[in-house]
Structure formats: structure tokens, C-alpha cells
Amino acid sequence: MIMLGATAAMVAPAAQIEWMSDLDSACQKAREEGKLLLVEFTGSDWCKACILQKKNVLDKPEFAAWVHQHYVPVEVNVPNNPAVVGGEAALKKNKAICDEFDIKIFPSLMIMSPDMVILGGYHGAESSPAAAMAALKKSQPSVAEYEAAMKLQGAERAVALYAFYQKQPQEYRAVAYPLIRLIALADEENVTGIHEVYKPLHQKKSFDAELSAAKNFEDKLSVVNMYISVAEPENKPGFVRRKELLLRARVFEIMKNPSSVEDVILARQLFLQAAECMPDPNARAQMIKDVNAYYADPEALFLQIKNKKK
């Protein structure tokens, strides 16, 4: 078991925390070293509380030494300047991680298992290493219960993890997909009933991943249509809404600079498909009426757009 009770005085000083920046790599390192993750969610160039905590806590040698003894530290930074984290792609990824864990307060310092199960932590800034360590040590009972459950196998593990899940505060349960997944994997017979929760969550995760990986409009539309056809009831409205937004975005892209009348006709067809995705029949009917009126004469509309660009 990972003990969190060591005092700073028992730990050799370290110059600074060596933060990792990739959460997946940090998880792998934590598994290899038998440690937990300490995940800092920060806005390093705009969040005053983050800057103060870095100065008063994170940069202190005694805190750095304690962290490295017990954790693999990883920083999820969402600065205003993307260059701070290596560019727009890295910033987008970090924002997605913040969304995944519903992080709304910066800084947040969270303890997670190598499977990204939240075990404790705190939101906001602490004023000293001692205060930060005290706040983090409050997670020790949760860590002990989780690690004891993970030593079990099969249904026993599932039941123990499910009991742990039920005790979690609502803010953790709302982002507990990693924990729910572990329970489902251990619970082949669905003794806990967790599969009713896991199945739609897993489907949505898969959908988001495939949609993000799709490179163009056609591939994205194919992903959306496939998932709509097999959607769990809880997910279907969201998948259909995503299709509507995707179609609308493609229409606006085409109509910025149509190259032919055929482009205008295609835009009308796509807009009508988007209208069919609208759940409210009255709104749907009005949208279809408006689209047909706007695109009534595709050739005249094409010439109008081209003349405006001259």
C-alpha cells in the first residue's frame, strides 16, 4: 500500500517537481513505479491563484521531495498562450482532459490511480507545503479502500469497487468512467448491475474518439450515422444533435465560397438533412420551410454570392 503519512522532515530535499505533461505516459510510469498520480490542473499564465500556489507550495523543495516520494506528478495546463504547452493541439488535448474530469476551479490538485480513478485532492490554492500535504493526506482512507479492492479478483473485486463507487462524493461519481469501467471489466456476470451504467458511457467514449480521429466531413458523417444506428437510448439524442451540427457546419463551409451552382444545391440538401435531425416538429417544419425558401433559385443565389465577393 502507498503510504501518504510521511512528513517532509523524513524526505530528502528536491530542487523542484519534475512535472510530466502527458497524462497517458504518467499513468504508465505510475504503474511501473507502484505510485499514484498527482495531477495539477492549472492555467499557468492567467490564473493568479495557480501562480501563487506554484510560488508558495509547488516550488518549495520540501513539497517537491514529498511529491516525488509518493506520486508521479503530471501537469494539465490550459494557458491563454498555446505556445506554453507546445501549441494548439496540446492545449486542445488538455482542455479535453479538464472537461473529462469536470474541472471548473483552477488550480485543482487531484490524486488519481494509474487507471485515472480520482481518489482525493483539493480545488483552489493552499498557502504552504504543510497545508497542501495535509489536504492531500485526507485521501489516505480512500486510497487504502481502493487498493484493497484492487487486490481482489473477479466478482469480489467488482463488489468491493462498486461499494467504493457508491461512497464517492457526487463530484467524483459524475466523472467516474474509469472506475465504472474497472467494475464492469471485473463483473462479467453483472452482479452489481454496473453494465447498465457502463454500456452507454463506453459507447459515448468510443463515439467521441472515432469522431475526433475522422479526418474529413465524409468520414465524420459516416461515424455519426453508424453510431446513430446502434445508439443506446440515452445517447441517441446527443448523436443526432452532433449530426445536425456537423451538417450545418458543412453547409456554412460550402456557402462561404461555392464553386458552382451544384455546390449550392448540395448545401441545400445538407441543410434539409440537418433540419430532419431537429427533435421539435414545429422547429423542424419551420427550418425546412426557411431552407427551401432561401435556396429556391440555386443559380440566382450562386450569382448573388459571387457578385458580393467581387
Side-chain angles (χ1 to χ4, degrees), residues 228 240-241 243-244 247-248 268-281 283-285 287-289 291-292:
I228 287 175
V240 172
R241 175 62 173 161
K243 180 178 180 179
E244 178 191 349
L247 290 166
R248 284 175 178 263
R268 178 181 64 188
Q269 293 171 343
L270 295 175
F271 220 147
L272 289 173
Q273 289 180 43
E276 291 295 339
C277 295
M278 299 175 70
D280 186 307
R284 182 168 62 248
M287 180 60 72
I288 291 172
K289 180 180 178 181
V291 170
N292 283 328

Side-chain angles (χ1 to χ4, degrees), residues 5-301:
T7 63
M10 297 171 60
V11 183
Q16 61 184 9
I17 297 176
E18 297 176 5
W19 296 100
M20 297 184 69
S21 59
D22 182 79
L23 185 56
D24 292 332
S25 298
C27 288
Q28 181 60 37
K29 181 178 173 68
R31 289 189 191 96
E32 292 170 355
E33 297 184 0
K35 292 181 178 180
L36 300 174
L37 297 169
L38 184 66
V39 186
E40 185 204 17
F41 295 91
T42 183
S44 65
D45 65 355
W46 60 267
C47 171
K48 291 182 179 180
C50 301
I51 294 167
L52 282 174
Q53 179 166 257
K54 184 177 188 303
K55 176 183 177 182
N56 296 329
V57 177
L58 306 184
D59 284 350
K60 298 297 184 181
E62 63 267 36
F63 188 74
W66 183 79
V67 166
H68 280 295
Q69 182 176 6
H70 301 294
Y71 304 104
V72 171
V74 56
E75 180 185 76
V76 180
N77 192 3
V78 287
N80 284 332
N81 181 4
V84 172
V85 290
E88 290 287 352
L91 178 59
K92 182 179 179 181
K93 182 177 181 180
N94 285 355
K95 286 181 175 179
I97 294 170
C98 290
D99 290 343
E100 182 177 355
F101 292 104
D102 197 29
I103 300 297
K104 294 184 172 65
I105 299 174
F106 293 86
S108 287
L109 207 58
M110 308 305 295
I111 296 171
M112 298 185 192
S113 77
D115 293 300
M116 290 190 284
V117 176
I118 295 179
L119 301 174
Y122 64 85
H123 301 293
E126 293 291 351
S127 59
S128 69
M133 285 188 278
L136 292 171
K137 288 174 187 178
K138 290 179 181 179
S139 68
Q140 191 164 346
S142 181
V143 170
E145 183 175 354
Y146 173 79
E147 291 187 335
M150 289 298 289
K151 289 178 181 177
L152 303 173
Q153 299 296 324
E156 287 187 336
R157 173 187 284 188
V159 170
L161 286 175
Y162 187 70
F164 175 79
Y165 165 70
Q166 289 182 305
K167 295 177 186 176
Q168 297 305 293
Q170 184 55 42
E171 65 170 306
Y172 294 173
R173 291 185 67 171
V175 293
Y177 173 76
L179 177 56
I180 291 168
R181 177 178 177 273
L182 287 175
I183 300 169
L185 291 175
D187 192 3
E188 294 182 1
E189 301 298 325
N190 200 23
V191 173
T192 63
I194 199 68
H195 285 269
E196 283 69 31
V197 178
Y198 172 67
K199 191 173 181 182
L201 285 175
H202 180 66
Q203 184 183 62
K204 187 178 183 302
K205 289 280 185 182
S206 299
F207 170 77
D208 289 341
E210 289 191 39
L211 191 63
S212 178
K215 300 299 184 183
N216 54 50
F217 168 76
E218 288 75 17
D219 289 346
K220 289 181 183 294
L221 186 60
S222 176
V223 169
V224 172
N225 283 334
M226 189 276 287
Y227 273 93
I228 287 175
S229 69
V230 297
E232 294 292 312
E234 303 95 317
N235 287 334
K236 189 163 186 177
F239 293 169
V240 172
R241 175 62 173 161
R242 191 70 68 90
K243 180 178 180 179
E244 178 191 349
L245 295 175
L246 180 63
L247 290 166
R248 284 175 178 263
R250 180 58 176 149
V251 168
F252 295 146
E253 183 181 333
I254 292 171
M255 294 302 288
K256 282 181 183 178
N257 188 26
S259 59
S260 65
V261 175
E262 286 70 25
D263 276 354
V264 177
I265 294 172
L266 174 61
R268 178 181 64 188
Q269 293 171 343
L270 295 175
F271 220 147
L272 289 173
Q273 289 180 43
E276 291 295 339
C277 295
M278 299 175 70
D280 186 307
N282 294 326
R284 182 168 62 248
Q286 184 62 52
M287 180 60 72
I288 291 172
K289 180 180 178 181
D290 292 345
V291 170
N292 283 328
Y294 183 75
Y295 291 90
D297 189 338
E299 185 172 356
L301 181 57

